[in-house]
């Protein structure tokens, strides 16, 4: 589907996924993802929701309408489980809490990133600049790439979590038995949730049916985000859910097959990275320019370009941890295949 056709197509409907469980699509402005699914769990005490949407009036209105279709309202929300701190998931959490008094829950690894990312970003921006030079970003693109994520800060109503949810914990949702599965990679504190009664996996951005989640190396991503992500894929094996409820695209069946596809995708990316180095391409930037993307490299701009280079870098880091390549530090760093 072309971008134009996609932006004209309507959002999916608010749906009752199972008795007492609803999916509410909330629009994301100017993104090809178009919407995030907020999942609403009915309880005797009021609704609990997983994720929220961006902090825009349109998103808040869509969430309010969706909750009304589910027979409830934003004011009645009791708890907000946030899968991770990206703006399309966490952005509206503060406003929902303000309207309802609900608690907001995050994994501690993502809670720890809030101040640097959304409140006092100048130090983080400096570290992004250093990393961009290390990855080989051309001088003329440096400033715009360094600031590429600043516009989205307006789409986040910063809120401290009231509840920290760790791996294996069961957040309070009366009548439900959700358990958290910590799946770092796409974000260091990403959480999936397992719902055993209906055998549902709420997968956030960790596993989507068609697109592969971006796993960028950046100053807040930890030492080996792609290695973390691949281990997090294994963590979901064997649950064998009847259906997967992702945060974008659409619900799907066949989780184990999708996990295998995602792992295979990254093995192919590793091969691309190694082939580039062996062909004499040595900076993360130039390696990224040689990798296959969904559109030509010269049409990948701004934040997307930074994400792509960060993705190349996360493959390099994972290969380094595996002992396959090494980084000769510099501006830019030079990557070498060991044993060649
Ligand atoms: Zn995300
Ligand atoms: Zn997302």
């Amino acid at each position: 589907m072309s971008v134009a056709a996609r932006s004209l197509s309507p959002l999916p409907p608010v749906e009752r996924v199972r008795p007492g469980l609803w999916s509410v699509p909330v629009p994301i402005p100017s993104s090809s993802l178009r919407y995030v699914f907020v999942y609403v769990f009915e309880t005797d005490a009021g609704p609990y929701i997983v994720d929220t949407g961006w902090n825009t009036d349109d998103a808040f209105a869509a969430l309010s309408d969706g909750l009304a279709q589910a027979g409830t309202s934003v004011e009645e929300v009791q708890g907000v489980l946030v899968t991770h701190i990206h703006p399309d998931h966490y952005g509206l959490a503060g406003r929902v809490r303000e309207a309802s008094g609900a608690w907001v829950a995050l994994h501690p690894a993502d809670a720890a990133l809030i101040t640097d990312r959304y409140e006092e970003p100048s130090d983080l921006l400096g570290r992004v600049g250093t990393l961009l030079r290390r990855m080989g970003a051309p001088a003329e693109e440096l400033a715009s790439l360094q600031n590429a994520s600043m516009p989205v800060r307006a789409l986040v109503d910063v809120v401290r979590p009231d509840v920290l949810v760790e791996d294996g914990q069961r957040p309070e949702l009366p009548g439900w038995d959700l358990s958290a599965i910590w799946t770092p990679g796409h974000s260091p504190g990403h959480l999936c949730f397992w719902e055993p009664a209906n055998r549902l996996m709420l997968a956030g951005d960790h596993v989507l049916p068609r697109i592969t989640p971006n796993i960028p190396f950046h100053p807040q991503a930890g030492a080996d985000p792609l290695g973390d992500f691949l281990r997090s894929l294994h963590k979901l094996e064997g649950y064998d859910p009847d259906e997967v409820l992702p945060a974008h695209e659409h619900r799907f069946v066949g989780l184990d097959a999708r996990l295998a596809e995602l792992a295979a995708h990254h093995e192919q990316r590793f091969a691309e990275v190694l082939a580039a180095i062996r062909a004499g391409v040595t900076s993360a930037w130039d390696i990224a320019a040689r990798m296959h993307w969904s559109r030509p490299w010269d049409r990948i701009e701004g934040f997307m370009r930074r994400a792509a280079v960060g993705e190349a870098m996360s493959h390099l880091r994972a290969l380094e941890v595996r002992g396959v390549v090494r980084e000769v530090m510099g501006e830019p760093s030079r990557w070498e295949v060991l044993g060649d």
Side-chain angles (χ1 to χ4, degrees), residues 28 33 36 84 86 88-89 186 204-205 208 247-248:
I28 308 173
L33 288 173
V36 61
H84 62 297
H86 291 166
D88 49 328
H89 302 257
H186 176 66
D205 281 0
L208 299 169
H248 303 287

Side-chain angles (χ1 to χ4, degrees), residues 22-80:
W22 297 75
S23 93
V24 175
V26 172
I28 308 173
S30 62
S31 161
S32 58
L33 288 173
R34 293 177 52 233
Y35 53 84
V36 61
F37 286 121
V38 173
Y39 293 103
V40 180
F41 290 85
E42 293 175 6
T43 80
D44 291 343
Y48 290 71
I49 65 176
V50 176
D51 287 331
T52 60
W54 296 60
N55 181 29
T56 66
D57 290 341
D58 279 358
F60 191 76
L63 179 60
S64 302
D65 286 355
L67 286 164
Q69 286 186 54
T72 179
S73 69
V74 174
E75 290 73 24
E76 290 171 83
V77 173
Q78 300 296 306
V80 180

Side-chain angles (χ1 to χ4, degrees), residues 75-76 79 133 136 143 160 211 243 262 279-282 288 312 334 339:
E75 290 73 24
E76 290 171 83
R133 286 190 290 276
R160 306 265 147 221
I211 58 173
E243 200 168 26
L262 288 168
V281 179
T282 62
R334 199 175 72 243

Side-chain angles (χ1 to χ4, degrees), residues 217-239:
F217 185 83
H218 62 79
Q220 288 194 323
D224 180 16
L226 184 58
D228 291 342
F229 176 73
L230 295 171
R231 284 182 286 277
S232 294
L233 291 179
H234 284 304
K235 233 169 151 176
L236 295 195
E237 281 169 2
Y239 280 90

Side-chain angles (χ1 to χ4, degrees), residues 45-130:
Y48 290 71
I49 65 176
V50 176
D51 287 331
T52 60
W54 296 60
N55 181 29
T56 66
D57 290 341
D58 279 358
F60 191 76
L63 179 60
S64 302
D65 286 355
L67 286 164
Q69 286 186 54
T72 179
S73 69
V74 174
E75 290 73 24
E76 290 171 83
V77 173
Q78 300 296 306
V80 180
L81 292 163
V82 181
T83 58
H84 62 297
I85 56 157
H86 291 166
D88 49 328
H89 302 257
Y90 159 78
L92 259 183
R95 201 156 154 189
V96 171
R97 187 172 75 175
E98 234 162 80
S100 63
W103 50 251
V104 172
L106 270 174
H107 186 275
D110 268 20
L113 308 181
I114 291 172
T115 303
D116 279 2
R117 181 174 297 218
Y118 295 125
E119 292 180 322
E120 294 163 26
S122 58
D123 175 64
L124 179 60
L125 286 177
R127 285 183 284 145
V128 168
T130 303

